[in-house]
Amino acid sequence: MELKYVWASIVFSLIGIIILGLAFWVVERITPENLWKEILEKNNIALAIMAGAFMIAMGIIIGSAIHS
């Protein structure tokens, strides 16, 4: 195993995590309610499922873009 491949994996992983965080932040800003407040305080299960599905979908998209 070469060190350059390990570093490339680390760098691409960090870039993917940052992009995923930014995408979630954008969704948080454009929705009318505060997602975390709705999920944690009001126990909105549907919103929690939507947020989880969004994170999975964005992860797949980012992973595919980085892998190409």
Side-chain angles (χ1 to χ4, degrees), residues 8-25:
S9 295
I10 292 170
V11 168
F12 284 133
S13 296
L14 290 175
I15 290 171
I17 291 169
I18 290 168
I19 293 171
L20 183 61
L22 288 173
F24 189 76
W25 180 79

Side-chain angles (χ1 to χ4, degrees), residues 18-34:
I18 290 168
I19 293 171
L20 183 61
L22 288 173
F24 189 76
W25 180 79
V26 168
V27 169
E28 176 75 26
R29 293 291 166 226
I30 63 173
T31 54
E33 294 289 330
N34 184 345

